[in-house]
């Protein structure tokens, strides 16, 4: 099973979720995490590379897994119970998505690696998440709650926009998973939006903290809209989403939220500026190694 990388209530809840009857795939082709009465064709669509499709599932799954790991840190190091529980719930939602996508990636890869091995037995160079998911935005000394809100706002807005389009693609598994995830991702986006608006309206100090949080994450935002060749190839085959296609939707939503928060959006040019390599190519920030060391410790030590 996938474990949230920190001990405590969040990790325990994950074990309960991952061992719930009906959440495992089987030879009949059940969709992982779907109700037991629902089946989806798991074959690879015509004229589509199984290798590319596996890589794409890995990208989307790693985004969710790594962001879940970061958010779960608040469950053991945060100071406000209600806030910690809300972030832990979002972390669990993302972990469920990660498990489904990584299971599909392993299935398509055909190398005998399941979602657990993909999560716990790859090094940083083999993770394909965008770097914004991995940066340390708190609760430790490297960040704070406002930076966490800023990161969650941008990531969830972007991910919700991608999954809305992914639900209309012709890969049955991805389309089904995206359809099931839209409401959850929208809730994540709206939760972050309400917090951003609240921080911006509380006073000068909180507004400044939100602005500082945005400035902290902003250099990594452009990567969200820079398509990897695999994404472009699969988007051409109507089995993926070109992330550049969601740029205007994400910008519009962020502008609405930040207007409510009375905070100026940092340099707009960031949305069209990115120089590879990035997380999709396996190039990560310095914090990724530390995150994986903690995230993978239990699984690796049990070998």
């Amino acid at each position: 099973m996938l474990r949230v990388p920190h001990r405590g209530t969040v990790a325990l809840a994950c074990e309960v979720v991952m061992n719930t009857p009906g959440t495992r795939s089987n030879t009949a082709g059940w969709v992982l995490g779907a109700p037991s009465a629902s089946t989806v064709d798991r074959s690879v669509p015509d004229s589509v590379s199984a290798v590319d499709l596996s890589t794409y599932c890995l990208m989307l799954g790693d985004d969710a897994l790594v962001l879940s790991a970061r958010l779960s840190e608040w469950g053991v190091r945060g100071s406000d119970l209600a806030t910690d529980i809300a972030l832990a719930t979002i972390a669990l939602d993302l972990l469920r998505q990660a498990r489904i996508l990584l299971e599909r990636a392993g299935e398509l890869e055909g190398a005998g690696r399941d979602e657990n091995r993909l999560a716990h037995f790859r090094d940083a160079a083999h993770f394909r998440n965008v770097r914004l998911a991995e940066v340390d935005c708190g609760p430790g000394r490297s960040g704070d709650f406002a930076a966490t809100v800023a990161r969650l706002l941008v990531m969830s807005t972007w991910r919700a926009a991608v999954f809305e389009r992914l639900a209309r693609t012709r890969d049955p598994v991805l389309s089904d998973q995206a359809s099931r995830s839209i409401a959850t991702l929208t809730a994540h986006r709206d939760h972050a939006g309400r917090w951003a608006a609240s921080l911006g309206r509380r006073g000068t100090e909180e507004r400044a903290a939100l602005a500082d949080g945005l400035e902290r994450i902003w250099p990594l935002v452009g990567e969200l809209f820079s398509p990897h060749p695999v994404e472009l190839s699969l988007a051409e085959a109507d089995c993926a989403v070109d992330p550049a296609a969601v740029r205007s939707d994400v910008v519009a939503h962020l502008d609405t939220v930040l207007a409510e928060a009375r905070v100026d959006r940092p340099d707009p040019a960031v949305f069209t500026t990115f120089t590879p390599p990035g997380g999709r190519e396996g190039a990560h920030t310095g914090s990724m190694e530390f995150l994986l060391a903690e995230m993978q410790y239990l699984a690796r030590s049990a070998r």
Side-chain angles (χ1 to χ4, degrees):
M1 62 187 164
L2 290 180
R3 296 181 179 89
V4 164
H6 306 281
R7 301 168 180 86
T9 56
V10 178
L12 177 60
C14 285
E15 295 191 12
V16 172
V17 169
M18 297 311 164
N19 286 303
T20 300
T23 61
R24 290 195 175 276
S25 60
N26 58 36
T27 56
W30 301 109
V31 173
L32 189 62
S36 58
S38 176
T39 59
V40 168
D41 180 7
R42 301 185 72 84
S43 61
V44 177
D46 293 339
S47 303
V48 172
S49 164
V51 173
D52 284 354
L53 197 55
S54 175
T55 300
Y56 186 58
C57 290
L58 205 61
M59 292 173 178
L60 297 176
D62 285 350
D63 289 340
L65 177 63
V66 172
L67 183 57
S68 172
R70 278 302 185 203
L71 293 175
S72 73
E73 291 176 329
W74 286 89
V76 293
R77 290 188 244 166
S79 58
D80 179 80
L81 182 60
T83 298
D84 296 345
I85 290 174
L87 292 176
T89 300
I90 293 173
L92 284 173
D93 290 338
L94 291 170
L95 190 70
R96 291 186 185 97
Q97 293 174 19
R99 185 181 174 215
I100 293 167
L101 290 161
L102 294 184
E103 192 265 355
R104 178 62 168 164
E107 175 185 69
L108 292 166
E109 180 187 66
R113 295 196 295 180
D114 60 10
E115 69 273 23
N116 188 57
R117 294 196 63 80
L118 286 171
H120 294 126
F121 297 97
R122 285 180 293 153
D123 58 24
H126 293 96
F127 271 75
R128 294 292 177 258
N129 58 281
V130 292
R131 293 174 298 170
L132 182 56
E134 73 200 39
V135 295
D136 185 358
C137 289
R141 291 178 296 175
S142 298
D144 57 21
F145 181 66
T148 295
V149 167
R151 191 249 304 277
L152 181 59
L153 174 63
V154 175
M155 281 289 296
S156 59
T157 301
W158 169 72
R159 193 167 173 87
V162 169
F163 273 51
E164 284 176 0
R165 286 165 173 76
L166 193 61
R168 301 190 292 270
T169 59
R170 69 185 183 98
D171 179 75
V173 177
L174 284 176
S175 177
D176 184 81
Q177 168 59 12
S179 297
R180 295 176 186 279
S181 301
I182 290 172
T184 299
L185 292 170
T186 300
H188 297 174
R189 181 195 69 189
D190 293 346
H191 176 81
R194 286 191 295 270
W195 260 113
S198 175
L199 289 172
R201 290 178 173 273
R202 285 186 180 185
T204 302
E205 184 176 349
E206 289 86 351
R207 189 179 308 119
L210 179 60
D212 288 345
L214 286 167
E215 290 288 351
R216 174 177 172 76
I217 68 165
W218 211 248
L220 298 175
V221 170
E223 183 180 0
L224 303 182
F225 308 102
S226 178
H228 184 275
V230 166
E231 292 174 301
L232 289 176
S233 175
L234 290 176
E236 183 69 23
D238 195 23
C239 285
V241 176
D242 178 352
V246 306
R247 182 187 291 114
S248 60
D249 290 348
V250 173
V251 170
H253 185 79
L254 291 180
D255 282 348
T256 298
V257 172
L258 296 182
E260 287 289 323
R262 301 172 183 173
V263 172
D264 292 332
R265 174 158 55 93
D267 185 5
V270 165
F271 284 99
T272 56
T273 303
F274 171 70
T275 302
R280 296 297 196 224
E281 290 84 15
H284 296 282
T285 66
S287 64
M288 185 66 168
E289 294 282 359
F290 295 99
L291 177 63
L292 290 183
E294 187 169 9
M295 188 178 88
Q296 298 175 337
Y297 170 77
L298 288 177
R300 289 179 179 247
S301 63
R303 295 187 71 179

